[in-house]
Amino acid sequence: MAYFKIPGPLGLNPENQSKGLWNYQAPNVPWSDDQYGKNNLSSHSGTQLAHKKLQKNTISTTTDSWSDEVLVCFNVKGEEFGRLMMELRDEAVNYAQNRKLELLLWNDQSKARTKKWFNSSNQEIRDYLLPIIDSIIRVLRSLTPDNFDYDTAENNMQAGCAPGRGLRLDGSIATVCPSDTEKHRISINMRFFEIPKRGVIYGTNEFNGRDSQLMTLIHEVTHFNDVAASSDDFYSARNSLNHAGDPRAKINADSISSYILGIDIK
């Protein structure tokens, strides 16, 4: 079973309890039944959010993720969460640098990996991926704990997008506003704490192809317009692999992030 706790600074709107409803909101946000409703939508013409969704059968368990298990939710603005994200950032940079080196060498292994995820091993795909990986590395390196916040309507609108659905147990893992190329803000939702940090096979460093916090970070960075302006045509590594022959694969966020991590599923 997955272990889940509501992050410390979140609260419940007691006024809705009698209606059978619970609103989850971040601190310093006034309670309002219309916070994510028609008033915000009608007064804001922002871009739609790009987000990472949790796939079925991807919630981690104590039997297959051991020390990779995420058992608690952190205060997204707290020091412990900041350390977690900086650790994930540094690891993501290392993987991106490895893929860049592969592309520069452009040997049989390099071509086999691009063929696997994008159904192409020609010079065109190499030339396409190199600047994207450089941009991924650039943005990842620029991230600090201040780049991460709660996935609330207020934060999404400040980034320049539509309000979204807010903090939800059944919502997205994380979201970004693709046009937020100045601040590169990444909004964290409650599902982020239901997936493992790295998503590796028990006793190994091999990725199992399921959603993870590491993959989510790379996924979200690819959405920015100054990185890859990626889409979400195919969610999950498995679904992305099954659609490697689709022309949209090379702009699909999970295809790019799976490629960066070198996920080796069949």
Side-chain angles (χ1 to χ4, degrees):
M1 64 180 288
Y3 293 84
F4 182 77
K5 293 182 181 179
I6 297 171
L10 292 180
L12 294 168
N13 184 355
E15 294 179 358
N16 278 340
Q17 185 178 8
S18 60
K19 307 174 189 177
L21 300 173
W22 289 102
N23 284 355
Y24 295 88
Q25 293 181 274
N28 303 319
V29 181
W31 289 114
S32 171
D33 288 337
D34 196 46
Q35 184 183 3
Y36 308 123
K38 59 185 180 181
N39 289 350
N40 278 333
L41 288 169
S42 62
S43 63
H44 193 271
S45 58
T47 309
Q48 290 298 310
L49 291 164
H51 55 272
K52 173 77 169 158
K53 291 182 178 178
L54 184 67
Q55 298 304 295
K56 293 181 179 179
N57 301 321
T58 60
I59 295 178
S60 57
T61 70
T62 54
T63 59
D64 66 5
S65 51
W66 41 291
S67 61
D68 201 31
E69 180 70 70
V70 176
L71 297 175
V72 296
C73 292
F74 297 109
N75 174 356
V76 171
K77 302 309 292 181
E79 292 183 7
E80 191 170 6
F81 183 80
R83 287 194 295 270
L84 167 67
M85 297 312 297
M86 295 302 93
E87 176 186 329
L88 293 173
R89 176 204 64 185
D90 292 345
E91 188 168 3
V93 168
N94 287 337
Y95 278 103
Q97 289 175 325
N98 288 341
R99 293 293 84 77
K100 179 179 179 179
L101 179 59
E102 274 191 359
L103 290 174
L104 293 175
L105 292 173
W106 202 227
N107 55 21
D108 289 344
Q109 180 181 0
S110 312
K111 295 175 182 179
R113 201 184 305 275
T114 60
K115 182 71 173 178
K116 181 183 183 76
W117 291 103
F118 309 109
N119 196 38
S120 176
S121 57
N122 58 26
Q123 187 68 29
E124 182 181 353
I125 192 65
R126 176 180 181 267
D127 293 343
Y128 171 78
L129 289 171
L130 273 170
I132 286 178
I133 292 177
D134 279 338
S135 296
I136 290 172
I137 294 171
R138 169 179 54 82
V139 172
L140 283 170
R141 283 177 168 167
S142 73
L143 297 180
T144 71
D146 291 336
N147 289 87
F148 302 93
D149 211 329
Y150 292 101
D151 186 1
T152 64
E154 180 182 16
N155 288 335
N156 292 332
M157 293 171 69
Q158 286 178 355
C161 272
R165 301 176 67 198
L167 287 165
R168 301 169 60 95
L169 286 168
D170 61 346
S172 303
I173 299 174
T175 63
V176 300
C177 187
S179 61
D180 185 25
T181 56
E182 180 178 351
K183 294 187 176 181
H184 296 115
R185 286 165 283 199
I186 300 176
S187 296
I188 302 298
N189 214 311
M190 300 171 79
R191 291 257 175 169
F192 186 84
F193 302 100
E194 291 191 323
I195 56 179
K197 288 171 60 178
R198 301 179 68 246
V200 294
I201 299 171
Y202 183 87
T204 75
N205 284 318
E206 297 179 15
F207 292 103
N208 57 28
R210 298 178 181 179
D211 287 326
S212 68
Q213 294 174 345
L214 178 60
M215 184 176 177
T216 296
L217 176 59
I218 299 172
H219 173 114
E220 295 305 329
V221 167
T222 69
H223 280 314
F224 289 116
N225 290 339
D226 62 337
V227 178
S230 64
S231 62
D232 284 321
D233 292 301
F234 318 115
Y235 278 114
S236 84
R238 173 68 61 190
N239 196 30
S240 298
L241 182 61
N242 291 340
H243 289 86
D246 192 298
R248 294 172 292 175
K250 70 178 186 179
I251 61 169
N252 185 61
D254 271 350
S255 300
I256 298 171
S257 53
S258 296
Y259 166 75
I260 292 291
L261 290 175
I263 293 176
D264 189 24
I265 55 176
K266 301 295 189 290

